[in-house]
Amino acid sequence: MGIQSSSRSISSFAHESEEELAGFLDFYSIEWRYEPVSFPLNWDEQGRVIEAFTPDFYLPQFDLYVELTTMKQKLVTRKNRKIRRMRELYPDTRIKVLYGRDYRELLFKFGVIE
Amino acid sequence: MIFFSRINRKSTPAAVKKVVFDEMAISSRVEELASEISRDYQGKDPIVAGILQGALVFTRDLVKNLSFPVLPDFIRISRYGRQSRTGEVKIVKDLREDIQGRHVLLIEDIVDTGLTLNYLVRILLERHPASLAICTLLDRTELRLAEVPIKYVGFNVNDEFLIGYGLDYREYYRDLPFVATMNLEVVEPQTADGRPKTADRLTT
């Protein structure tokens, strides 16, 4: 997976909210990488990765992965399971999940959305 | 420095959903924080700097309760928003005093992502203060992205949009004497100047 960093012009975001967060981070001069790494979560008997999780952002300055969840509850539940699994397998890796409601309130606070 | 004047509201604004911390709770906690800060900074002649606009009210009340005389300083940085999405943060009102070699206590109304404070801390540390610490009235860790050296916390809060006691929604409701959750459903379409039609104006 390619590494894209701190420039919205070269990035192709999967979701509008991700681009918004990138802009937010740019504003505060926080370096970011978009989906720089996938974490294997499950393997088959031959050792091939059959499930992985790719956090949306990595912030090198804080050594922190950030995942945005702005989707439906059913998908959030599935994502939460993946994040729990990731935390089990990679306990030293810091990841922050911004849930849809929290993130929307943040954008609301800054007047980005109404 | 012009502080917000207290106004006697005839009724609670419709935007107030639920009072989370009333005047008495805030006053009591501010006194406790001031006592702690007074003890820690006694004899250190600190620079106490509120971050505008949100921390203006909190800074005023906190300073009044310190055991040593201090004239609060203020700093303001540009804010992310619809108009500034392609720009970058910058200081729009700097501290009056040179902080080199001085103990600095930054006062904030609420810390959520920590990005604002992270920026300020980076900038201010380049000026080589003797120490730099943060006092926030409210700490909302759910949204924290940047770790910042918060030394004093008034209250921990969760995932609710808060207004009052300095906290605003587009510059409204800062003058409320309490901290409340905001009823987002009462916000109507904006007027030409970008403000919600139903909101009460800040009085200064």
Side-chain angles (χ1 to χ4, degrees), chain A residues 8 16 20 23-24 27 106-114, chain B residues 78-87 169-170 187-195:
Chain A
R8 280 174 286 174
E16 189 181 343
E20 191 65 64
F24 191 65
F27 183 78
L106 190 66
L107 297 180
F108 183 82
K109 170 182 171 179
F110 287 101
V112 176
I113 61 169
E114 295 169 24
Chain B
S78 55
R79 191 179 187 185
Y80 184 74
R82 188 188 299 272
Q83 310 301 326
S84 55
R85 289 158 93 169
T86 55
Y169 169 67
R170 300 185 187 180
V187 178
E188 291 184 350
Q190 298 173 11
T191 55
D193 66 355
R195 297 174 185 279

Side-chain angles (χ1 to χ4, degrees), chain A residues 7 20 33 59 68 85 87 93-94 98 108-109:
Chain A
S7 172
E20 191 65 64
R33 307 269 190 276
L59 312 183
L68 285 177
R85 177 75 173 150
R87 284 175 170 151
T93 300
R94 298 173 62 234
L98 294 180
F108 183 82
K109 170 182 171 179

Side-chain angles (χ1 to χ4, degrees), chain A residues 20 27-28 96 102 109-110, chain B residues 80 85 89 112 141-142:
Chain A
E20 191 65 64
F27 183 78
Y28 288 100
K96 184 75 181 180
D102 294 335
K109 170 182 171 179
F110 287 101
Chain B
Y80 184 74
R85 289 158 93 169
V89 65
D112 40 45
T141 57
E142 286 295 311

Side-chain angles (χ1 to χ4, degrees), chain A residues 30-63:
Chain A
I30 304 297
E31 187 184 354
W32 51 267
R33 307 269 190 276
Y34 182 61
E35 296 187 338
V37 63
S38 292
F39 293 88
L41 298 181
N42 281 302
W43 298 260
D44 66 13
E45 291 176 352
Q46 282 73 47
R48 290 175 296 208
V49 175
I50 56 173
E51 186 180 36
F53 178 64
T54 307
D56 295 321
F57 290 92
Y58 175 65
L59 312 183
Q61 186 179 337
F62 311 129
D63 190 21

Side-chain angles (χ1 to χ4, degrees), chain B residues 49-63:
Chain B
I51 301 170
L52 296 174
Q53 296 283 350
L56 188 54
V57 182
F58 179 39
T59 304
R60 174 199 62 186
D61 290 349
L62 190 69
V63 164

